[in-house]
Amino acid sequence: MMQSPRAIPQSPNSHSDSSSWESMLPGPPGRNNFGSSDLGPHGLLAFPSGSSISVVDTRSMQLVTALPIPPPPSTSSSSSSSSSSSSTSNNATTSLSPFVTALRWTPSPLSRDLLSTEPSSSHLLLAAGDRHGNIALLDLRLRSPILWFDTDNSKLAIQDLCWLQARPDLYLIAAINGSSILSLYNAATGRCIWKYDATPEYFSCIRRDPFDARRVCAIGLKGFLVSVLAHGESEDGVAIKELQIRTDSSELAKLERDVAAGATPSPASAAFPLYSVKFAFSQQWRHILFVTFPREFLVFDLEYETVIFSAALPRGCGKFLDVLPDPNNDWVYCAHLDGKLSTWKRKRGEQVHYMCSMEELMPSVGTYVPSPAILSVLLSLSDSTLQNVCKNYSDTPSAPYLHEDFDNPFDFCDEPTIVSKIHLISISDDGKVWNWLLTAEGQVDTQKEDKKLDLLSGDGRQQEHLNDGNSRLVSFSYTQVNEKTGGYINKLVVTCLRSGSNKMFRALQKPERAPIRALRTSSSGR
């Protein structure tokens, strides 16, 4: 859990107008921020907090900076040129900065001539969009926008953003404007080069193809899928393909009736905040998409334009929130609205997936009414890079380092091999950021996922460094047996911090009357 935000000191050269922005503290993220967040390969997590952007170092779980986004300069000039009555209205509208609703780190360091910035700091560039339809390119080092995009003052909220690379020297930003407009912008000039209107569809999210940086796909709440391939900066340089994924949208039809007729269509996350449709490209298989509708998980082949697997959500499970394919293995993590995380594993030799585990993603720390809700989940890309290096260049197996001689009573010599470790970040609407370590133990064919909270504690204090005063960590969790009869199954697990191996102890078969709330070690640490 990260520490509370702190005030950002004012620069001595800053303008008096910007000083008011620098002294503001962000509040916790909420659903008005559309659940947007991004975790770069440098380990920096960016997520909106109201009208500001918070940046957290996921290795230390410390707040790096809180970056308020000022209104674009065009708003002040346009309001001053209008009549007195209209300027009063405009000033009332722009006096409060709009909520940030989408953001993305640059995919790779950009060249000096592309964005006129130093190459050493180009990886700290962030594209962000807000509820009023503004899109800006922010330099984290300068703590200010360096480019505002030409969005035609449409005031259509930005639902999602995505980077793509049409040519080695041409970066573009794809954006979902409002409910149904897909736009491409030149990342160097901010000029809009292409637009596509899919009314009356509601676009939900947009993602880039990991195998082809020129391609992005966007999906709608009813399964409408658009594939866009860009190889230039003109309309002739953009190819589009329209597809339809069949799904049951009867629940969405009922929700649409509640939307006011004749009103300007709101983005999907504003109109239907609890109806989430997400997809992600497989990083193992070309042309394969993993798609989640609120109660359905499916695999779609983009090349053959067909669903190759689908499964209904088991009864009693909360609706899907997001889908996260493991970058190194053939299983998929799915976040649920009720704060749980399910793992879906692929059967060998086919694209059939089955749910192999369901874990709590919201640790019980204190008592909240109502309970906090998960807004966003992300997988660490740095873990993926490290595991790929180990797989490709290591000549020795990874198992021997597990068989070290540990002091009793916790001996890990008989523990299964760790076949995968990856960090998952979750953000909740109570302002907490959690860093989870997901591990898979055992043989490659029969992995057993064991999720736990790592490097964090309930009161926000950091765990001691591994090099200081113990190599074993004891953690606890519990599950409620039945809401009617009551009772809890408490679990205690000891973890070897050197290898990541887990061993459960005090395994009681019968439920207990109350859940475990806290742990304390003896003064000797044994």
Side-chain angles (χ1 to χ4, degrees), residues 475-479 489-493 504-506 516:
S475 59
F476 68 90
S477 64
Y478 68 87
T479 56
I489 298 295
N490 292 307
K491 297 181 180 179
L492 285 172
V493 177
M504 185 181 299
F505 65 101
R506 193 185 174 270
I516 295 178

Side-chain angles (χ1 to χ4, degrees), residues 23 78 101 104 109 160 205 234 260 295 299 307 364 410 455 488:
S23 62
S78 61
T101 54
R104 283 287 182 268
D160 201 4
C205 69
S234 64
R295 300 185 183 277
V299 183
V307 174
S364 178
F410 304 130
L455 298 180
Y488 299 85

Side-chain angles (χ1 to χ4, degrees), residues 197-214:
D197 192 344
T199 305
E201 298 290 338
Y202 282 88
F203 279 130
S204 176
C205 69
I206 185 169
R207 299 289 184 263
R208 184 180 60 168
D209 188 341
F211 294 98
D212 189 349
R214 303 171 302 166

Side-chain angles (χ1 to χ4, degrees), residues 210-366:
F211 294 98
D212 189 349
R214 303 171 302 166
R215 184 193 306 275
V216 294
C217 288
I219 195 170
L221 296 183
K222 298 179 181 179
F224 180 65
L225 183 68
V226 175
S227 173
V228 179
L229 184 67
H231 49 82
E233 53 180 329
S234 64
E235 291 192 3
D236 296 336
V238 180
I240 185 172
K241 180 187 292 185
E242 299 176 346
L243 305 169
Q244 181 66 46
I245 302 176
R246 296 185 179 275
T247 185
D248 181 10
S249 56
S250 56
E251 180 182 353
L252 179 62
K254 296 178 182 178
L255 297 174
E256 285 183 303
R257 299 190 192 105
D258 299 333
V259 178
T264 303
S266 300
S269 295
F272 314 104
L274 298 181
Y275 193 95
S276 178
V277 176
K278 296 292 180 64
F279 82 97
F281 281 93
S282 170
Q283 300 192 42
Q284 302 288 322
W285 305 91
R286 187 183 291 268
H287 307 302
I288 296 298
L289 307 182
F290 300 106
V291 187
T292 54
F293 294 95
R295 300 185 183 277
E296 185 179 15
F297 172 84
L298 57 86
V299 183
F300 186 80
D301 191 313
L302 193 62
E303 183 178 20
Y304 293 99
E305 304 178 7
T306 185
V307 174
I308 58 179
F309 169 77
S310 66
L313 191 63
R315 184 173 299 179
C317 295
K319 295 180 181 179
F320 285 115
L321 172 67
D322 205 349
V323 55
L324 305 169
D326 191 290
N328 301 300
N329 302 282
D330 278 334
W331 55 77
V332 181
Y333 304 107
C334 292
H336 298 254
L337 286 176
D338 59 359
K340 294 184 179 180
L341 183 77
S342 62
T343 304
W344 298 70
K345 188 173 181 292
R346 187 179 70 89
K347 290 186 177 180
R348 179 182 292 274
E350 49 187 323
Q351 281 293 351
V352 175
H353 289 70
Y354 62 95
M355 184 190 297
C356 60
S357 71
M358 177 73 78
E359 303 287 340
E360 291 283 349
L361 200 55
M362 286 297 297
S364 178
V365 181

Side-chain angles (χ1 to χ4, degrees), residues 55-243:
V55 179
V56 173
D57 185 349
T58 57
R59 290 160 293 193
S60 63
M61 294 304 289
Q62 298 295 311
L63 182 71
V64 176
T65 185
L67 179 64
I69 302 181
S74 59
T75 56
S76 58
S77 60
S78 61
S79 61
S80 61
S81 61
S82 59
S83 61
S84 59
S85 60
S86 61
S87 64
T88 302
S89 176
N90 287 339
N91 289 335
T93 302
T94 59
S95 58
L96 296 176
S97 293
F99 289 106
V100 179
T101 54
L103 49 79
R104 283 287 182 268
W105 290 107
T106 52
S108 60
L110 308 182
S111 62
R112 179 192 300 268
D113 56 348
L114 182 62
L115 292 172
S116 300
T117 186
E118 297 179 7
S120 61
S121 64
S122 61
H123 66 289
L124 297 180
L125 295 179
L126 191 70
D130 64 25
R131 192 68 180 263
H132 287 177
N134 303 309
I135 301 177
L137 191 62
L138 309 170
D139 190 324
L140 196 64
R141 181 178 58 88
L142 300 177
R143 300 190 68 255
S144 63
I146 60 174
L147 178 67
W148 291 96
F149 288 73
D150 181 16
T151 55
D152 298 330
N153 295 322
S154 61
K155 299 297 182 183
L156 295 176
I158 306 301
Q159 168 72 21
D160 201 4
L161 293 172
C162 185
W163 287 84
L164 65 156
Q165 188 175 8
R167 297 193 308 258
D169 62 340
L170 179 59
Y171 282 83
L172 303 176
I173 289 182
I176 298 176
N177 308 74
S179 61
S180 57
I181 296 180
L182 192 60
S183 305
L184 294 181
Y185 299 89
N186 187 312
T189 65
R191 184 175 63 90
C192 181
I193 65 170
W194 180 83
K195 273 191 177 183
Y196 170 82
D197 192 344
T199 305
E201 298 290 338
Y202 282 88
F203 279 130
S204 176
C205 69
I206 185 169
R207 299 289 184 263
R208 184 180 60 168
D209 188 341
F211 294 98
D212 189 349
R214 303 171 302 166
R215 184 193 306 275
V216 294
C217 288
I219 195 170
L221 296 183
K222 298 179 181 179
F224 180 65
L225 183 68
V226 175
S227 173
V228 179
L229 184 67
H231 49 82
E233 53 180 329
S234 64
E235 291 192 3
D236 296 336
V238 180
I240 185 172
K241 180 187 292 185
E242 299 176 346
L243 305 169

